[in-house]
Amino acid sequence: MEATKRPSSCISKWQYSSTKSKIVNNFNPVCQAVQKLTLKGKFLIILDQKKSVPGKFISVQIYSGTEVDPNTGKGWLSEKAYFKECGSKNHHHGKDNVEDTQTKIKTYKVKVHVDSHFGTPRAFLIQNKHKKKFYLLSASIETCTNRIIHFDCNSWIYSIKKTKFDRLFFSNRCYLPSQTPRALLELRNEELDKLKGNGTGERIEGDRVYDYDYYNDLGDPDKGLEHFRPILGGSRLYPYPRRVRTGPSTEIRPQATKFDIYVPSDEIFSPNKLKDLKSNSINAIVHLLSSKTESLPQQSSRSFQSFEEILGMISSNRNQTIEGWIRDNLKKLVPNDYLKEITHAIKENHQHVPTTQIIYENEWAWNDDMEFGRQILAGTHPVRIQCLMTFPPQNKYGVQSSIEQSIIEQMLEGWALTQALEQGRIFMLDHHDYLMPYLNRINANGVCAYASRTLLFLRSDGMLKPLTIELSLPGPSLALEVHRIFLPSKQGTQAALWQLAKAHVLANEAFYHLLVSHWLYTHAVVEPFIIATKRRLSVMHPIHKILNPHFKDTMHINALTRLILINSGGILEKLLFPGETCMQITCDLYKDWKFTEQGLPADLIKRGMAVEDTDENNPTGIQLLMLDYPYAIEGLEIWTAIKSWVNDFCSLFYKDDEAIIADVELQAWWSEIRFIGHGDNHNETWWYQMTTLSNLVEALTTLIWIASARQAVINHQKRTQNGNYQTYYPTLCKKFIPLEGTVEFGEFLKDPDKFFMKMLPYRFEISLGLALVNLLSKNAYDEVYLLRCQPSHGWIDNEIVQNRFAEFKEELKEIQIRILQRNKDPKLKNRRGSAKIDHNILYPKMPSSGSRRWNHGKRSVL
């Protein structure tokens, strides 16, 4: 706790500057009242427009954090002082595959005169009287003893005419509620009250109000009944995490192309992040329109004719001028200034669809069965595979799979099936149970979808060999299903059928990857934690301090996702095979979500990829069943480093379990997360009880893991592995696999490749998918990596914490070295595959959201 006595060093400096004759009398209160000290402030602002905001419009007042004004009960408050401009610097960011971006940071200085008994500054008020908002990056205040007090701000400052309030910032020193200096206690409570709101009124730009709401803004029934969507959250039928509230009970959707959906001002992208979003959106549209076609209007609604044609589109650097019909349509979709930039980009022929690394290295790698198995384990979505415990698989109604043991055993390289099961060598990619209730509805809308189970065998070289694919359709009742079994083959009709079956499996994967693993399990479930953190934990709270970098941009990304991706008629409804049922399926899967299973060790055990290990020398507490599972091997090292860092951090502030129970802000935070933010699951018994240090550490480690390393794996590997090749990762199929003896089967036999092409999405849908993946996987200039997950050197005013964080960074650097060493080991075949691409997705400094994310600089828009 900060001392409340007057800092003698400041008084000494005044004494020294006074004449010797006055030193004897310098403690006279009347004499002291007229003596002044000067505090020097420096404020860094990122410019959002060509001209800077004149300093005369920006004023600052500084609060003491140690001395109390008896008239207000708060720290002494200085007089207003106004900014003075002192120059600007251009910062260029073009490293790590990020497009060069120029950042103009303006420095303002201010001198604030305070009485000699003012004490140590620990907060300041800032007022903007200019009509333009600006982005305050950071501030520092130099005391009379040359001590620097740091403030990490990272927030937009709006005009006082809009907000009606001055903006308050606290310094980077942390206090538990019970240890808050009396000078700051009332300010702390007042600030939290302002952020909570009262659940009424419509939010407008500039507001900093965090309140909860259901997902009641996905539909747009004014456009027609086909755009009606149920409200998600608040019901047994459609349970869902809460989101930040933006307006009335049934919200009016803003214009999507202006990106003007409400989020609290502290959650809005920085100026350069906004520029990146605009630029990346333009590039994505250019890529969408820049396909190698002779007549886009006629060909966009038909299929490709060959694999070579798709490869030609991907590798082509040629662009076409936007035809009149396209320009007319774009006018309806994007603002005029965007349209001019898009037109200019294509005319200048500067844009091309970038070839993904896997296609560049080996354009036919996607077609290889062993690469198919490796991708399931170490590709874009390594979190769904599970070890098969019993055979045959069966659904929750007891309906067994039609896969026969005799067929499987022929491919087990001498192993008996029972032996292989006991030794943990049979694995499954399961997209069955959650899809079956929806397939009739999905397939009535012009797509052809199956539920799927894919079985794989772990070979002696550590790679996964595909065994069989089972595709299923609903029967006349839930207890009856129609199954089809497909086996790997190298030639003839069976090989072509196997290729069709793999495409249907990967369409299932694409949906689960984008909407479940990515959107639901790393974005939607985290938003209630963000809201509760901002509402219940003061920025001075140590738990707020350690979590906040990992939440960077997430809320704004989620808002944009609601606006343009998961809304009725949105991009993902058009791209993914479930169409309008997409979000309802995620509701069903949220019913099975458990926060306590989201940490990596618990997740691996749940999927049968690891077993518990009681060895005290094993910090993870588990033993992997596979020696070459890159996501798990690297992930466990990272998990262990995060947990150790979190444990040491929390132990510095909480000396025992009683301190956790006594922390009123922490208890309110956790209660609000459970009973409001995830209110539809609040009765579940799996929730941690926030009464022990170990439970707090486990909860925080899990939350940081989700928002950092796991997010990086789920998001940024999309572009490297499959971003531009949707024959490998189709998002939907337009044909069922034909039955022998039918007319379609005859068509298939006549030209299997042509049939395959007709089964894939149309040209426009494939191009749209490519553009979306390019947009989502793009790295922003201000990407935050876990190795640099704190914004500044002075991010916390605690030397012990800073030293421990430095140790944490050294641990991550050691992990980096081990990753590089493993990538060079020829025995670890799952790390590179047939395309010979190093597995670097969990490399802490790799530019792969939002962070805080391993690289989570989120984030792209999903």
Side-chain angles (χ1 to χ4, degrees):
M1 183 170 178
E2 190 133 13
T4 56
K5 64 181 181 180
R6 297 173 185 173
S8 58
S9 58
C10 288
I11 297 174
S12 297
K13 187 172 183 178
W14 171 76
Q15 290 173 334
Y16 183 80
S17 64
S18 303
T19 63
K20 292 182 179 180
S21 61
K22 292 183 179 179
I23 289 180
V24 177
N25 299 317
N26 65 2
F27 286 101
N28 184 315
V30 176
C31 180
Q32 281 190 336
V34 297
Q35 300 302 321
K36 293 290 184 179
L37 300 173
T38 299
L39 303 176
K40 299 177 181 178
K42 183 167 73 172
F43 298 79
L44 300 183
I45 291 174
I46 299 179
L47 300 181
D48 187 36
Q49 54 272 333
K50 293 181 180 180
K51 294 183 178 179
S52 60
V53 176
K56 65 181 180 180
F57 290 100
I58 309 172
S59 64
V60 169
Q61 291 178 278
I62 298 175
Y63 272 110
S64 170
T66 55
E67 297 295 322
V68 178
D69 181 347
N71 295 320
T72 64
K74 305 174 185 178
W76 287 103
L77 180 63
S78 74
E79 297 294 328
K80 285 185 178 181
Y82 289 86
F83 276 14
K84 291 185 178 180
E85 300 181 39
C86 355
S88 60
K89 292 183 179 180
N90 292 330
H91 295 262
H92 293 269
H93 305 267
K95 299 179 181 180
D96 297 332
N97 298 326
V98 181
E99 292 184 7
D100 185 64
T101 303
Q102 188 179 81
T103 306
K104 194 167 187 179
I105 298 179
K106 189 80 174 178
T107 300
Y108 293 84
K109 290 187 177 180
V110 66
K111 290 184 178 181
V112 181
H113 302 290
V114 297
D115 293 340
S116 58
H117 60 266
F118 184 83
T120 304
R122 285 292 173 196
F124 69 83
L125 289 172
I126 187 168
Q127 184 183 100
N128 175 18
K129 287 188 176 181
H130 198 269
K131 61 181 180 180
K132 296 281 189 178
K133 66 180 185 291
F134 60 85
Y135 190 84
L136 181 60
L137 184 64
S138 64
S140 60
I141 297 174
E142 182 180 353
T143 69
C144 57
T145 59
N146 299 321
R147 181 183 179 186
I148 305 297
I149 309 298
H150 293 282
F151 300 75
D152 286 327
C153 304
N154 295 299
S155 185
W156 291 94
I157 309 299
Y158 285 81
S159 170
I160 186 69
K161 294 180 180 179
K162 180 181 285 288
T163 63
K164 311 302 181 186
F165 296 104
D166 292 348
R167 180 64 197 279
L168 176 67
F169 288 95
F170 293 102
S171 75
N172 291 349
R173 174 159 291 196
C174 289
Y175 307 95
L176 294 177
S178 61
Q179 299 171 340
T180 308
R182 192 160 66 92
L184 298 177
L185 186 59
E186 190 171 341
L187 291 173
R188 178 178 187 143
N189 294 332
E190 286 178 353
E191 182 70 2
L192 281 177
D193 288 340
K194 286 180 181 179
L195 297 176
K196 292 173 188 174
N198 56 14
T200 63
E202 185 174 357
R203 304 275 69 86
I204 61 173
E205 184 186 16
D207 284 353
R208 293 175 61 236
V209 177
Y210 297 81
D211 210 346
Y212 298 92
D213 209 343
Y214 306 125
Y215 281 72
N216 55 12
D217 61 344
L218 301 181
D220 197 355
D222 290 343
K223 291 184 177 180
L225 291 178
E226 69 274 15
H227 286 280
F228 170 80
R229 297 293 180 270
I231 293 174
L232 308 186
S235 67
R236 290 185 178 182
L237 186 60
Y238 302 117
Y240 223 66
R242 302 299 185 261
R243 65 172 179 88
V244 71
R245 181 181 179 276
T246 64
S249 57
T250 301
E251 303 212 356
I252 301 172
R253 294 185 57 79
Q255 185 176 343
T257 51
K258 292 184 177 180
F259 305 137
D260 57 356
I261 191 168
Y262 168 82
V263 290
S265 59
D266 287 357
E267 312 303 322
I268 298 175
F269 294 155
S270 68
N272 288 291
K273 183 79 173 185
L274 288 169
K275 290 177 184 176
D276 278 346
L277 176 63
K278 177 181 177 182
S279 175
N280 293 342
S281 299
I282 290 171
N283 289 342
I285 294 173
V286 170
H287 294 163
L288 174 63
L289 300 176
S290 300
S291 56
K292 186 180 179 182
T293 56
E294 295 179 0
S295 180
L296 190 59
Q298 286 74 33
Q299 297 196 22
S300 62
S301 61
R302 68 175 180 84
S303 303
F304 286 96
Q305 300 302 303
S306 67
F307 297 110
E308 290 76 11
E309 191 176 349
I310 298 179
L311 283 171
M313 180 195 76
I314 293 172
S315 60
S316 173
N317 289 343
R318 293 196 300 115
N319 294 291
Q320 296 179 329
T321 303
I322 301 178
E323 302 292 343
W325 75 274
I326 297 178
R327 186 183 296 109
D328 292 340
N329 281 277
L330 281 178
K331 284 181 179 179
K332 304 173 185 177
L333 297 174
V334 300
N336 190 54
D337 57 339
Y338 275 42
L339 182 62
K340 290 180 180 178
E341 293 187 46
I342 293 167
T343 306
H344 177 74
I346 292 183
K347 284 184 176 181
E348 292 296 315
N349 199 28
H350 287 165
Q351 301 296 333
H352 63 89
V353 179
T355 304
T356 56
Q357 192 174 356
I358 192 170
I359 301 303
Y360 180 81
E361 299 291 345
N362 184 345
E363 63 186 27
W364 295 105
W366 64 274
N367 195 39
D368 180 73
D369 280 351
M370 295 307 296
E371 181 64 19
F372 172 72
R374 192 191 74 87
Q375 286 285 326
I376 291 173
L377 182 73
T380 62
H381 189 226
V383 299
R384 183 63 180 168
I385 187 174
Q386 59 183 284
C387 186
L388 187 63
M389 303 298 184
T390 58
F391 186 89
Q394 64 180 29
N395 68 12
K396 59 184 177 181
Y397 302 105
V399 180
Q400 290 189 342
S401 163
S402 296
I403 302 172
E404 297 178 4
Q405 179 174 340
S406 59
I407 296 176
I408 294 296
E409 285 191 320
Q410 296 175 16
M411 296 180 282
L412 297 185
E413 302 180 359
W415 289 72
L417 179 58
T418 54
Q419 184 186 18
L421 289 169
E422 290 173 0
Q423 295 296 317
R425 285 185 170 269
I426 307 297
F427 294 84
M428 178 170 66
L429 182 66
D430 187 4
H431 293 291
H432 182 275
D433 288 6
Y434 72 90
L435 283 176
M436 288 301 291
Y438 291 92
L439 284 179
N440 285 334
R441 182 176 167 188
I442 291 170
N443 291 334
N445 289 326
V447 298
C448 299
Y450 298 96
S452 67
R453 293 187 182 106
T454 304
L455 299 191
L456 307 103
F457 171 67
L458 178 61
R459 302 192 320 184
S460 58
D461 65 356
M463 297 195 75
L464 289 178
K465 170 186 174 180
L467 296 174
T468 183
I469 291 173
E470 179 185 64
L471 300 181
S472 304
L473 290 172
S477 69
L478 292 175
L480 295 174
E481 296 179 1
V482 178
H483 302 301
R484 294 187 66 185
I485 307 299
F486 300 88
L487 302 175
S489 181
K490 296 295 184 182
Q491 57 186 359
T493 302
Q494 293 304 314
L497 289 171
W498 172 250
Q499 194 64 41
L500 299 182
K502 285 198 296 184
H504 278 279
V505 169
L506 291 168
N508 290 172
E509 267 284 272
F511 163 74
Y512 199 96
H513 181 180
L514 285 170
L515 250 316
V516 183
S517 293
H518 194 180
W519 161 250
L520 178 61
Y521 290 162
T522 64
H523 281 260
V525 300
V526 169
E527 185 156 345
F529 287 88
I530 301 174
I531 299 171
T533 299
K534 299 306 175 78
R535 285 167 51 91
R536 293 296 181 178
L537 299 179
S538 166
V539 294
M540 290 188 285
H541 198 291
I543 304 307
H544 187 127
K545 185 69 69 174
I546 195 174
L547 286 178
N548 195 54
H550 302 282
F551 294 154
K552 181 177 182 290
D553 297 335
T554 299
M555 193 174 288
H556 200 169
I557 291 163
N558 289 1
L560 292 175
T561 300
R562 299 199 316 271
L563 185 64
I564 60 178
L565 294 182
I566 63 174
N567 57 302
S568 65
I571 292 175
L572 292 183
E573 282 196 2
K574 289 182 170 67
L575 281 180
L576 300 175
F577 71 88
E580 65 183 41
T581 65
C582 278
M583 295 304 291
Q584 293 179 43
I585 296 175
T586 66
C587 288
D588 280 351
L589 291 165
Y590 176 64
K591 294 175 185 177
D592 298 326
W593 177 84
K594 297 179 181 179
F595 180 70
T596 51
E597 294 177 346
Q598 304 309 303
L600 182 57
D603 169 58
L604 292 170
I605 289 176
K606 178 185 177 182
R607 293 189 283 122
M609 305 299 288
V611 294
E612 293 185 4
D613 186 357
T614 57
D615 185 352
E616 294 181 355
N617 295 320
N618 181 354
T620 67
I622 66 172
Q623 184 67 45
L624 289 175
L625 297 182
M626 299 183 68
L627 298 178
D628 189 13
Y629 184 9
Y631 166 70
I633 292 168
E634 261 101 83
L636 285 173
E637 291 187 352
I638 292 161
W639 168 272
T640 301
I642 293 173
K643 187 173 182 179
S644 176
W645 151 242
V646 170
N647 181 76
D648 291 349
F649 179 90
C650 292
S651 297
L652 288 170
F653 294 94
Y654 298 101
K655 301 306 180 185
D656 50 38
D657 293 343
E658 285 71 24
I660 289 175
I661 297 171
D663 186 339
V664 292
E665 287 185 10
L666 183 72
Q667 295 302 320
W669 172 73
W670 191 247
S671 176
E672 190 164 287
I673 289 167
R674 175 175 177 175
F675 290 97
I676 301 178
H678 285 282
D680 295 336
N681 284 334
H682 76 276
N683 285 325
E684 301 294 338
T685 58
W686 45 258
W687 284 98
Y688 292 118
Q689 298 299 312
M690 199 52 65
T691 55
T692 65
L693 178 64
S694 61
N695 281 355
L696 173 61
V697 169
E698 197 70 25
L700 295 179
T701 305
T702 299
L703 190 52
I704 292 172
W705 166 260
I706 294 171
S708 60
R710 190 180 189 277
Q711 155 69 21
V713 171
I714 297 300
N715 185 39
H716 289 280
Q717 196 157 282
K718 287 199 294 288
R719 188 164 176 249
T720 300
Q721 297 290 345
N722 67 286
N724 287 337
Y725 209 1
Q726 295 212 334
T727 52
Y728 178 73
Y729 232 95
T731 55
L732 60 84
C733 293
K734 304 197 306 313
K735 285 181 175 291
F736 290 112
I737 299 178
L739 293 169
E740 192 169 352
T742 63
V743 174
E744 273 211 325
F745 193 78
E747 178 188 342
F748 160 74
L749 290 176
K750 185 177 179 181
D751 192 339
D753 285 352
K754 185 176 181 181
F755 188 92
F756 186 92
M757 290 293 109
K758 288 184 176 181
M759 189 179 75
L760 295 178
Y762 291 125
R763 292 171 178 268
F764 182 81
E765 292 162 336
I766 288 179
S767 298
L768 182 60
L770 304 185
L772 178 64
V773 170
N774 281 324
L775 176 61
L776 298 188
S777 300
K778 208 83 169 180
N779 293 291
Y781 104 93
D782 59 353
E783 205 82 66
V784 181
Y785 305 103
L786 191 60
L787 192 57
R788 307 165 187 156
C789 67
Q790 297 301 342
S792 69
H793 173 72
W795 68 276
I796 187 169
D797 189 359
N798 187 308
E799 188 175 355
I800 297 176
V801 174
Q802 288 194 17
N803 290 339
R804 179 59 186 91
F805 183 68
E807 294 175 4
F808 172 57
K809 293 196 293 185
E810 290 303 314
E811 292 173 27
L812 296 179
K813 290 177 182 178
E814 292 174 4
I815 293 173
Q816 289 181 167
I817 294 172
R818 291 195 290 273
I819 291 174
L820 295 178
Q821 290 172 341
R822 292 189 193 106
N823 284 341
K824 295 177 181 178
D825 189 342
K827 296 178 181 178
L828 302 178
K829 299 181 182 299
N830 290 319
R831 306 191 69 84
R832 306 192 76 218
S834 59
K836 308 302 180 185
I837 302 171
D838 285 347
H839 191 280
N840 286 331
I841 193 61
L842 282 175
Y843 190 74
K845 291 177 69 175
M846 276 296 290
S848 300
S849 224
S851 257
R852 54 201 197 239
R853 302 160 165 112
W854 200 235
N855 82 91
H856 176 108
K858 136 248 35 341
R859 258 168 183 130
S860 359
V861 176
L862 198 118

